[in-house]
Amino acid sequence: RVLHLAEVSAIFALGALISGRLSRGLPITRLTPELIGVFGLAFVILATAPFSVWMGGAVATFTDLYAKVVLIFVLMVNTLTSPRRMRQFVWLIVLASGYIGMRAVLDYARGINLVEHGRVQGSVGGMFKNPNDLALNMVAVLPLAVFLVFQPLTTAKRALAALCAVMMFGAIVASHSRSGTVGLAAMGLVLGVQLFKRKPGLIVATAFAGLLALPLLPSSYWQRLASITNESLDETG
């Protein structure tokens, strides 16, 4: 199978990391408690695969999903070693998620890349292809974008972070994901409490503006949310 660009980039990055550390007389990787835990879970997955109901599926889950998690985790442990690098990494995640969110919003507006009667799926495929996974990933990254808005940055950077946050919120709505909406509500509550301590007036104004904007959301979105409490509205029951 042809490797995807992300996988090729990760492999080259890992190779550069290993060669760089060995050339400086360092071990291949830093061993932190978190990394040991990730390796431990990898061992459990492979050791118990022969006893699973579907051994091939268990191994495929490891090779197709968890092995990539281990690879990225090794890179993060060895490269995110300063506040500056952490900020750069946060910006990378926010910009990438904002782009994916923008693509989802544009696809929804154009009526393309839709499944299940109008639910948008991630146009980049992979773990974003499922509308629920798309929404939950947006929920996880959205607070990072919001916090960037409140950082002492230039106006342009804060506006860019705000745009990314709006696009991520739009993707959650366009996905019509019930789990994503529940996650958004929980995250919004925690985020609101944290930001209220710093900017109470702005948070109250934002909450009020959000309430006024609720009628602008698609009716199909509200109908799907209603199925949370009324199973007859869900076509699968």
Side-chain angles (χ1 to χ4, degrees):
R1 184 179 66 175
V2 178
L3 289 175
H4 294 291
L5 178 60
E7 296 172 359
V8 173
S9 301
I11 291 173
F12 272 106
L14 185 62
L17 172 69
I18 293 175
S19 63
R21 290 184 64 85
L22 292 179
S23 66
R24 298 194 301 272
L26 300 174
I28 292 178
T29 180
R30 296 172 59 209
L31 279 180
T32 67
E34 297 82 6
L35 186 58
I36 292 174
V38 170
F39 282 140
L41 183 56
F43 173 77
V44 171
I45 294 174
L46 292 177
T48 57
F51 308 101
S52 66
V53 176
W54 182 23
M55 178 178 175
V59 173
T61 297
F62 178 84
T63 56
D64 294 343
L65 178 62
Y66 196 74
K68 299 174 185 176
V69 173
V70 174
L71 176 62
I72 298 302
F73 207 93
V74 169
L75 290 171
M76 291 174 61
V77 164
N78 288 281
T79 56
L80 300 181
T81 54
S82 69
R84 178 174 175 270
R85 289 185 174 183
M86 283 295 297
R87 287 192 295 268
Q88 292 174 332
F89 185 66
V90 168
W91 267 111
L92 176 63
I93 295 176
V94 168
L95 292 175
S97 299
Y99 170 75
I100 294 172
M102 180 188 68
R103 290 281 300 271
V105 170
L106 292 178
D107 285 350
Y108 184 78
R110 295 165 59 194
I112 62 175
N113 204 27
L114 304 179
V115 296
E116 299 178 23
H117 308 294
R119 302 182 65 196
V120 74
Q121 57 182 353
S123 57
V124 298
M127 65 178 181
F128 299 103
K129 192 173 183 64
N130 183 288
N132 292 323
D133 293 335
L134 169 67
L136 290 172
N137 275 279
M138 297 296 103
V139 168
V141 180
L142 199 155
L144 297 178
V146 174
F147 274 116
L148 286 176
V149 175
F150 291 94
Q151 294 299 306
L153 304 170
T154 63
T155 301
K157 288 184 177 179
R158 294 170 67 184
L160 179 59
L163 177 62
C164 289
V166 170
M167 291 297 103
M168 286 183 239
F169 175 78
I172 296 170
V173 174
S175 72
H176 292 13
S177 173
R178 293 168 293 195
S179 57
T181 300
V182 173
L184 177 65
M187 180 275 293
L189 178 62
V190 175
L191 185 63
V193 170
Q194 294 296 320
L195 293 178
F196 186 80
K197 302 174 184 177
R198 303 166 60 181
K199 301 282 187 178
L202 182 58
I203 297 304
V204 171
T206 301
F208 183 69
L211 290 175
L212 293 179
L214 290 180
L216 301 178
L217 300 182
S219 59
S220 56
Y221 173 68
W222 294 115
Q223 291 171 2
R224 183 166 177 81
L225 291 188
S227 65
I228 294 177
T229 55
N230 186 354
E231 61 187 24
S232 66
L233 298 178
D234 188 285
E235 55 187 31
T236 65

